[in-house]
Amino acid sequence: QVQLVESGGGLVEAGGSLRLSCVASGSILSIRDMAWYRQAPGIARELVARVSMDGNANYVDAVKGRFTISRDNAKNTVYLQMHSLQPEDTAVYYCNALVAPYTRDIHFTYWGQGTQVTVSS
């Protein structure tokens, strides 16, 4: 089995910063894309940022210039550094990864349990 465990969420004032981490563990042969999604109450889950195995990253427009996604392949870990946080960034943030647990040719999508980020005004 594969597990994704997030950490680093919390309460921060507007303009502040947080760093989220997500560690993948279990039966892992390779990990392709790793990503962060978020879901605010009453709103569909949305992609925030994604990073490929070789480090290419892309972001939703709302976070460009404020958030940075990165990964450490040796540690099966993905990070999301968030700066200049605003109340509209308040959401549960979920880690997502495409993992090959049995053979390197077949990847499955796995999700973490989520970590709450709350930005006060």
Side-chain angles (χ1 to χ4, degrees):
Q1 266 297 2
V2 175
Q3 288 187 320
L4 303 181
V5 179
E6 301 106 332
S7 61
L11 174 64
V12 64
E13 292 184 350
S17 300
L18 283 174
R19 187 193 194 210
L20 306 182
S21 300
C22 171
V23 180
S25 63
S27 175
I28 299 173
L29 295 182
S30 73
I31 303 178
R32 278 170 40 188
D33 291 0
M34 302 186 82
W36 288 95
Y37 285 73
R38 66 186 180 186
Q39 186 167 21
I43 300 176
R45 190 174 298 188
E46 66 169 351
L47 174 66
V48 175
R50 175 184 285 123
V51 60
S52 66
M53 184 182 293
D54 58 4
N56 289 320
N58 53 73
Y59 302 87
V60 67
D61 286 346
V63 308
K64 285 180 180 178
R66 300 188 297 123
F67 291 10
T68 302
I69 189 170
S70 61
R71 63 189 285 174
D72 184 333
N73 291 331
K75 297 180 179 180
N76 292 333
T77 300
V78 63
Y79 305 96
L80 186 68
Q81 179 68 57
M82 305 183 292
H83 294 299
S84 301
L85 284 161
Q86 300 301 316
E88 53 265 35
D89 294 315
T90 295
V92 178
Y93 284 69
Y94 295 92
C95 175
N96 169 276
L98 288 175
V99 179
Y102 311 117
T103 169
R104 293 185 181 273
D105 296 334
I106 301 176
H107 290 73
F108 299 91
T109 295
Y110 293 89
W111 293 90
Q113 80 287 353
T115 185
Q116 177 70 46
V117 172
T118 303
V119 184
S120 63
S121 58

